[in-house]
Amino acid sequence: MLSCDNPPPVTVILAPRDDLVHTRAALTVHAPDAGRLTVHPTPGTDSVLTLAYDILAALDKPVPLTGYRRLDPAPAWTLAAAWILATRTSHLMLLRAHFLTPYRLQALLQLRDRTGLSLALVCHTRHVPAPVERALAGVAHHMAEATALLPAVQPPTTTPQQRAARSSLANRWLSLPALTTLSAADSATRPCQCTAPLAEDRDFFAPVLPALTEAEVAHRLHRASAHPHLAAELATAVFTAASVTQLATAHVRDLAPDASTLTLHDHGLRQGCLTHHVPAWARPLLLAAAFTWRIASGTSGPLFTDPPGSTGLPGLMDFAESCKLRPPQPPRPKRRKGSRAPAKPPKTIWPFSPAHYALASAMREPDRMQGCPHPPPHTRHTIAAYKKGWPPPHYGPRSRSY
């Protein structure tokens, strides 16, 4: 079980007048990307589970959670701690702390012990409330005035150019060549603890996303689900072009401590066991999946499974479709001239592609692409082109020119 040996002292901020200036200042410092959260608890409830949902919502995760017992707070607090550790969130400020019950205060302090958060409790009273004082007995803490820590500030503004850059791909289907090889016809292999070579040393290069598409994929996956194993598995499929059976071989031990690399195993059916570099946008997702295992069980289990035991969650392909991510699809049939029938939304096709298979028998499989375009070629010619510094489009790191 993860725990922080020496978490920072708790800060109790007294704001007796409950001024709009101080509340606005607290909300303005909310910046999840910078590791700072401001949580405004849901009014009218003293539920421990609801407070965990408030923290997950502050982390931009959808709530309420699905897949767990309806009133069980443990999974929600476990996932909140995993996301806080994975995103390197360092500060959490909680408004209306004078309304907290002893159980909710205890859950907050346990979250602080797990993650090493710098916790600030804003009490809109002249004196420290008795429940807060009792909860902090024996816990390092100090007092502060709102005028000192919450000065008047103006909310940040977003320029039209920034809004346009973020929304250019919003609500659009994204066709990712790497997902063409997700579907597989073989069964998962036995667990492996080999020392696999780097993918580029084995001349394997997964399709690379354009910068704008990569940013949109990261935005969607970070906000698509509070279940890190789902988002982490789909992210891994995007940057490795792995199949579902290869993804099933990944364990927590296969992820580097800083999530810079991930090893997938496959016993020679495709390209063999390979170690892939993890792009920066996907590292928090994989770290959250690993931290969930370390918090919930303290063991190294399958990375893309849920140790709290969720049920009824969507499969990987259904989850990808909910994020509007899919492999390139076949051309849509032309609509008949004069037809008034409304066009039916096309069903997503998940083809079976033997493009990355090493065995000749797999390469002779009948065409199951169902009209979908094949992934970018992975041949000796493309490998040689990559080594010369001019790989074909969609292959190799974007930093190289070609």
Side-chain angles (χ1 to χ4, degrees):
M1 302 293 285
L2 286 180
S3 63
C4 180
D5 296 332
N6 189 24
V10 178
T11 302
V12 180
I13 303 175
L14 298 180
R17 295 185 179 180
D18 195 6
D19 293 331
L20 176 62
V21 171
H22 296 147
T23 301
R24 179 179 293 172
L27 295 175
T28 301
V29 299
H30 175 73
D33 293 339
R36 306 183 70 90
L37 299 181
T38 299
V39 178
H40 201 300
T42 301
T45 178
D46 59 359
S47 167
V48 177
L49 177 60
T50 302
L51 182 58
Y53 284 171
D54 292 332
I55 295 173
L56 285 170
L59 288 161
D60 293 327
K61 308 304 173 187
V63 291
L65 294 178
T66 57
Y68 303 113
R69 289 185 298 173
R70 185 167 172 266
L71 300 178
D72 185 7
W77 284 99
T78 296
L79 295 185
W83 283 116
I84 286 172
L85 288 168
T87 57
R88 298 185 179 181
T89 300
S90 56
H91 292 74
L92 189 151
M93 182 179 296
L94 188 83
L95 300 174
R96 311 287 171 188
H98 55 289
F99 287 134
L100 291 178
T101 59
Y103 290 109
R104 297 210 287 176
L105 284 166
Q106 188 60 38
L108 275 174
L109 293 176
Q110 185 178 12
L111 180 68
R112 165 182 169 268
D113 292 339
R114 279 179 171 176
T115 61
L117 272 174
S118 179
L119 179 63
L121 304 176
V122 182
C123 300
H124 301 280
T125 55
R126 295 186 179 276
H127 306 285
V128 181
V132 177
E133 190 173 11
R134 286 194 294 268
L136 295 180
V139 177
H141 66 281
H142 59 267
M143 313 293 297
E145 294 292 335
T147 53
L149 292 186
L150 300 176
V153 295
Q154 293 298 323
T157 58
T158 305
T159 64
Q161 293 81 0
Q162 291 173 326
R163 287 195 297 267
R166 286 203 305 265
S167 62
S168 60
L169 295 178
N171 300 319
R172 290 175 52 185
W173 281 95
L174 298 181
S175 297
L176 308 181
L179 297 183
T180 307
T181 52
L182 183 62
S183 181
D186 56 305
S187 59
T189 58
R190 60 181 176 82
C192 179
Q193 299 188 37
C194 68
T195 303
L198 290 174
E200 54 264 35
D201 293 341
R202 193 70 71 82
D203 294 332
F204 179 80
F205 310 104
V208 172
L209 303 178
L212 188 60
T213 305
E214 182 184 82
E216 178 62 21
V217 170
H219 177 82
R220 295 184 189 186
L221 292 184
H222 276 273
R223 289 159 179 78
S225 175
H227 298 279
H229 69 284
L230 274 179
E233 187 173 16
L234 184 53
T236 304
V238 169
F239 69 80
T240 63
S243 67
V244 290
T245 52
Q246 288 175 301
L247 295 172
T249 64
H251 283 63
V252 176
R253 62 175 177 266
D254 295 314
L255 182 67
D258 60 351
S260 59
T261 61
L262 174 68
T263 300
L264 299 179
H265 305 278
D266 115 33
H267 296 290
L269 178 63
R270 296 175 181 81
Q271 302 296 326
C273 301
L274 296 177
T275 299
H276 300 266
H277 288 291
V278 181
W281 63 267
R283 292 178 187 179
L285 301 174
L286 274 71
L287 281 173
F291 281 129
T292 304
W293 270 97
R294 293 167 185 166
I295 293 171
S297 65
T299 60
S300 175
L303 183 61
F304 302 131
T305 58
D306 187 32
S310 56
T311 58
L313 297 183
L316 184 59
M317 295 176 186
D318 292 333
F319 178 64
E321 291 186 41
S322 70
C323 300
K324 289 194 171 182
L325 303 177
R326 63 185 180 185
Q329 298 294 289
R332 298 183 64 176
K334 292 183 179 180
R335 190 176 178 181
R336 291 184 178 181
K337 188 176 181 179
S339 175
R340 296 183 179 179
K344 294 182 179 180
K347 183 179 179 181
T348 299
I349 295 176
W350 290 91
F352 169 76
S353 171
H356 295 164
Y357 280 74
L359 299 181
S361 58
M363 297 300 293
R364 290 194 296 266
E365 283 283 339
D367 185 9
R368 303 185 200 173
M369 297 300 293
Q370 304 181 58
C372 295
H374 285 268
H378 188 74
T379 64
R380 291 184 178 180
H381 174 71
T382 59
I383 293 171
Y386 174 83
K387 291 180 177 179
K388 292 179 181 179
W390 47 276
H394 308 303
Y395 262 87
R398 290 194 311 274
S399 58
R400 294 202 177 192
S401 58
Y402 53 89

